[in-house]
Amino acid sequence: RKSYLGMDQVQERERKVISRELHDNLGQKLTAAKMFLNHLSNNGDTHELIHKLSALIEDSITDIRGMSRELSIKLVEENGLQDALIQLINFIPDTLRVELDLDFDDEVISRHVAGNLYRIVQEALNNTLKYAKAKNFYIHLQQYEQYLELKLSDDGKGFDLEKKLGYGNGLKNIEQRVKTCNGVIKIDTGKHLGTTITVKLPPN
């Protein structure tokens, strides 16, 4: 595993970037949105104001998602995938017990694959927290000679795999990320049976 030495400077730089982005971009949009809201109560024709307000909020959401993706990639690049995953689960609420089992070499995994693996785990965790009502979540990432195997499982309520209900858009995002890495994905689930996602993909 990579050392955390020197991370104070990296984190300080990232904090400055985030602070500037929040103030200069999101701050201005949300301030404008607040002004539009104040005008709503004093304006007879609210259709145009509502349209502008909706657009500002949508832009802000897009910006936040973009920042999140960028920070995720930087986190993996700076720390390595193993440390990034460890840090990720440190922010999971205590209501979900997460078990992490990692056996791979960061050096053999490309940045593209590492970034997508991180986002797959993040997406699955978010969906489990939102929908599964699970108590336990298991992350297993194993390196083999020709491929990596990622297995994510929970003991939640499961869902109808054919209809893909109860798992949000996260499942589509996971499937797309696996596809961009030339991997394959298998999903085992059912009502009250929990969910297991198994992904196999090349390391680079």
Side-chain angles (χ1 to χ4, degrees), residues 13-27:
R13 186 180 69 232
E14 296 304 324
R15 278 194 290 266
K16 289 180 179 178
V17 171
I18 295 170
S19 176
R20 184 171 62 250
E21 189 69 18
L22 288 173
H23 180 271
D24 295 345
N25 196 359
L26 289 178

Side-chain angles (χ1 to χ4, degrees), residues 43-111:
N43 194 307
D45 183 10
T46 61
H47 179 76
E48 184 178 355
L49 287 175
I50 291 175
H51 178 74
K52 290 181 179 179
L53 179 60
S54 177
L56 281 170
I57 293 173
E58 185 64 32
D59 284 349
S60 298
I61 292 171
T62 300
D63 288 344
I64 290 171
R65 287 174 177 168
M67 289 174 63
S68 176
R69 286 193 295 269
E70 185 67 21
L71 290 173
S72 296
I73 293 171
K74 288 183 178 180
L75 179 63
V76 174
E77 289 179 349
E78 296 287 352
N79 292 5
L81 180 57
Q82 292 199 36
D83 283 340
L85 290 173
I86 291 170
Q87 291 189 41
L88 174 63
I89 66 173
N90 285 337
F91 289 97
I92 300 301
D94 293 338
T95 53
L96 182 66
R97 178 180 174 273
V98 181
E99 183 177 342
L100 194 62
D101 180 20
L102 305 177
D103 185 10
F104 65 92
D105 182 359
D106 271 311
E107 300 300 325
V108 305
I109 304 177
S110 69
R111 298 195 325 189

Side-chain angles (χ1 to χ4, degrees), residues 5-201:
L5 292 176
M7 284 305 298
D8 286 345
Q9 293 90 339
V10 174
Q11 291 171 349
E12 179 61 27
R13 186 180 69 232
E14 296 304 324
R15 278 194 290 266
K16 289 180 179 178
V17 171
I18 295 170
S19 176
R20 184 171 62 250
E21 189 69 18
L22 288 173
H23 180 271
D24 295 345
N25 196 359
L26 289 178
Q28 291 179 359
K29 289 178 180 178
L30 294 175
T31 297
K34 183 179 179 181
M35 291 173 60
F36 283 130
L37 278 175
N38 290 336
H39 282 302
L40 284 177
S41 60
N42 301 316
N43 194 307
D45 183 10
T46 61
H47 179 76
E48 184 178 355
L49 287 175
I50 291 175
H51 178 74
K52 290 181 179 179
L53 179 60
S54 177
L56 281 170
I57 293 173
E58 185 64 32
D59 284 349
S60 298
I61 292 171
T62 300
D63 288 344
I64 290 171
R65 287 174 177 168
M67 289 174 63
S68 176
R69 286 193 295 269
E70 185 67 21
L71 290 173
S72 296
I73 293 171
K74 288 183 178 180
L75 179 63
V76 174
E77 289 179 349
E78 296 287 352
N79 292 5
L81 180 57
Q82 292 199 36
D83 283 340
L85 290 173
I86 291 170
Q87 291 189 41
L88 174 63
I89 66 173
N90 285 337
F91 289 97
I92 300 301
D94 293 338
T95 53
L96 182 66
R97 178 180 174 273
V98 181
E99 183 177 342
L100 194 62
D101 180 20
L102 305 177
D103 185 10
F104 65 92
D105 182 359
D106 271 311
E107 300 300 325
V108 305
I109 304 177
S110 69
R111 298 195 325 189
H112 173 71
V113 171
N116 276 288
L117 282 170
Y118 179 88
R119 294 288 289 172
I120 288 169
V121 174
Q122 188 178 50
E123 198 83 59
L125 272 169
N126 287 339
N127 276 278
T128 296
L129 288 167
K130 285 182 184 178
Y131 306 112
K133 296 183 179 179
K135 294 182 179 179
N136 296 282
F137 189 91
Y138 177 67
I139 305 169
H140 172 79
L141 182 54
Q142 175 77 39
Q143 177 183 335
Y144 295 95
E145 186 174 349
Q146 300 294 331
Y147 65 93
L148 299 165
E149 181 181 73
L150 173 66
K151 183 173 289 188
L152 308 168
S153 59
D154 67 57
D155 59 356
K157 65 181 183 179
F159 62 97
D160 187 330
L161 185 56
E162 290 187 3
K163 296 180 180 179
K164 296 183 179 179
L165 296 176
Y167 210 76
N169 291 324
L171 185 58
K172 294 180 181 177
N173 294 336
I174 290 173
E175 291 173 333
Q176 184 60 40
R177 290 185 181 280
V178 174
K179 184 178 180 180
T180 63
C181 294
N182 298 314
V184 295
I185 182 172
K186 179 183 178 184
I187 302 169
D188 294 306
T189 188
K191 193 172 182 180
H192 306 306
L193 297 177
T195 300
T196 297
I197 299 173
T198 303
V199 173
K200 293 183 180 180
L201 43 75

